[in-house]
Amino acid sequence: MRPTLPTLLSFNGGYIDTVGYLFLQGLFTAHVTGNFVTIGAALVFGTSGIAAKLLALPVFCTVIIVTRLVSFSLPARWPVFETMLTLKLLLLLVAAALAIAMGPFANGDTGPAIMVGMTLVSAMAIQNGVNRIHLGAAPPTTIMTGTTTQMMIDVADMIRGVRGVAHDAWVPPSRVSPWAPRPARYSSMRSASGVLRCRLL
């Protein structure tokens, strides 16, 4: 891994999140859990973009699960890391083309605005998954809640019948300690406590 890659990904994550917030009526495309806060503001002030903000987290989670499952079916000549980053780049190019063709977006709840927003959310979901699995030693490259990303990776691994192990560092089941905590359960507990804390504020 080149030292500049996490820096470039961090710049990309911050840029895409800012673009989404400014031009898609306050939609966070990388920090998708932040949309829960802006949904409340939109309801209070009567602004648009509520539909896209409600869709952002389900789309984000679905993309992480699907890409995680697909990554195990890729041909050997297609490295998972490079393939996922290429897919993310293609999604960003599609989003840019759609935004140029159909923007600007005065109403965040219109079909074109939601289409662009969800394309960006999908690209950032892939980046979050790649960062979590393949760049574990590097700091997060977006401000997306890491727990949600890890939960979706764990769900995909449970679907496959394995215990939350990265594709690049697979460990035989016989070497997994029976006392090791189940990632999905503990991630769910952390997320639930975080939601409760937000409700109490």
Side-chain angles (χ1 to χ4, degrees):
M1 179 185 65
R2 295 181 180 179
T4 55
L5 181 57
T7 302
L8 291 174
L9 292 176
S10 296
F11 176 83
N12 177 79
Y15 180 82
I16 297 301
D17 218 19
T18 303
V19 167
Y21 187 83
L22 293 177
F23 296 103
L24 295 172
Q25 304 302 314
L27 175 67
F28 287 111
T29 56
H31 182 46
V32 294
T33 50
N35 289 311
F36 291 128
V37 177
T38 56
I39 285 173
L43 290 172
V44 170
F45 296 106
T47 56
S48 66
I50 295 177
K53 292 165 187 173
L54 287 173
L55 285 172
L57 186 58
V59 169
F60 185 94
C61 294
T62 301
V63 170
I64 290 178
I65 292 174
V66 171
T67 53
R68 173 67 167 170
L69 294 173
V70 169
S71 69
F72 290 95
S73 303
L74 291 174
R77 64 181 182 278
W78 291 7
V80 176
F81 181 72
E82 288 82 354
T83 301
M84 291 298 107
L85 287 183
T86 300
L87 179 57
K88 187 202 82 166
L89 175 60
L90 291 175
L91 287 172
L92 292 178
L93 292 174
V94 169
L98 291 174
I100 292 172
M102 298 185 291
F105 307 106
N107 187 337
D109 290 324
T110 60
I114 292 176
M115 188 183 307
V116 172
M118 294 310 102
T119 304
L120 292 175
V121 167
S122 298
M124 290 297 96
I126 293 174
Q127 177 167 321
N128 271 276
V130 165
N131 191 102
R132 193 78 174 182
I133 297 171
H134 300 282
L135 300 175
T141 57
T142 71
I143 56 173
M144 167 60 202
T145 304
T147 302
T148 302
T149 302
Q150 186 61 55
M151 283 177 62
M152 295 308 107
I153 293 171
D154 292 339
V155 168
D157 287 340
M158 286 191 295
I159 292 173
R160 296 183 59 252
V162 298
R163 291 283 299 278
V165 182
H167 182 50
D168 288 354
W170 185 79
V171 178
S174 60
R175 296 182 59 188
V176 177
S177 169
W179 302 104
R182 296 184 180 275
R185 183 181 67 185
Y186 281 82
S187 295
S188 299
M189 291 172 60
R190 289 194 296 268
S191 293
S193 65
V195 171
L196 178 61
R197 183 173 67 249
C198 291
R199 291 291 299 273
L200 293 176
L201 291 177

